[in-house]
Amino acid sequence: MADVHNPATRSRNMAAIRGRDTKPELIIRKGLHAHGFRFRLQGRDLPGRPDLIFPKYRALLWVHGCFWHGHDCPMFHWPKSREEFWRAKIGRNRERDVATWAAARAAGWRCAMVWECALKGRGRLPLGQVIDSLAYWMSSDAEEFCIKGQWIDNVAHPPA
């Protein structure tokens, strides 16, 4: 299937996609800051340039977009045009994510990931639940943590 936009329009659309300060990232930052957590942004010296760095807790947090990282959820679908290009690109992103996570863990960092579908779409979780779960993980000794739309993995949930 051909692209619905001409090359100039497609280029403008793609150039407008942000790699940092995305809406999901800003939502998480605001919620954690309101809970008293202080952090650094975009650690250039760390594996994968995590979105949020919590030095006090030796923790890193990535907020991933479901499309760009090929998350298996209702928000992700393979593009119909240039399928080979997109499968290779998203496949490389997935491989890089795995390597980044392993490098961060090997360097002694605790790692957390929040998927975009946890914050928007049909399967989204209540924002308070996402923030409370992150705060609970931060104060726990769990090494890894992941929040996906409709469920939270790898940590005991805070008491209700």
Side-chain angles (χ1 to χ4, degrees), residues 87-143:
R87 288 187 186 276
K89 178 171 183 52
I90 292 171
R92 285 190 309 270
N93 289 351
R94 285 176 168 175
E95 291 168 5
R96 192 178 317 106
D97 291 342
V98 170
T100 293
W101 191 278
R105 296 285 301 119
W109 288 92
R110 299 168 59 221
C111 299
M113 182 182 307
V114 177
W115 287 96
E116 177 184 25
C117 60
L119 303 172
K120 63 189 234 185
R122 286 183 309 211
R124 72 178 172 269
L125 298 167
L127 181 58
Q129 181 182 357
V130 172
I131 300 299
D132 289 345
S133 295
L134 280 168
Y136 186 77
W137 171 74
M138 205 75 68
S139 61
S140 77
D141 59 354
E143 298 294 326

Side-chain angles (χ1 to χ4, degrees), residues 60-109:
L60 306 175
L61 174 66
W62 286 269
V63 182
H64 276 344
C66 294
F67 175 76
W68 295 106
H69 296 272
H71 188 223
D72 184 23
C73 73
M75 290 186 66
F76 174 74
H77 62 87
W78 290 104
K80 300 292 184 208
S81 64
R82 301 183 64 204
E83 289 184 48
E84 190 175 305
F85 166 81
W86 285 110
R87 288 187 186 276
K89 178 171 183 52
I90 292 171
R92 285 190 309 270
N93 289 351
R94 285 176 168 175
E95 291 168 5
R96 192 178 317 106
D97 291 342
V98 170
T100 293
W101 191 278
R105 296 285 301 119
W109 288 92

Side-chain angles (χ1 to χ4, degrees), residues 19-21 25 40-45 49-53:
R20 56 186 289 177
D21 298 334
E25 183 184 333
R40 289 182 15 229
L41 301 176
Q42 304 289 327
R44 292 180 187 266
D45 56 333
R49 289 186 63 187
D51 297 314
L52 302 174
I53 301 120

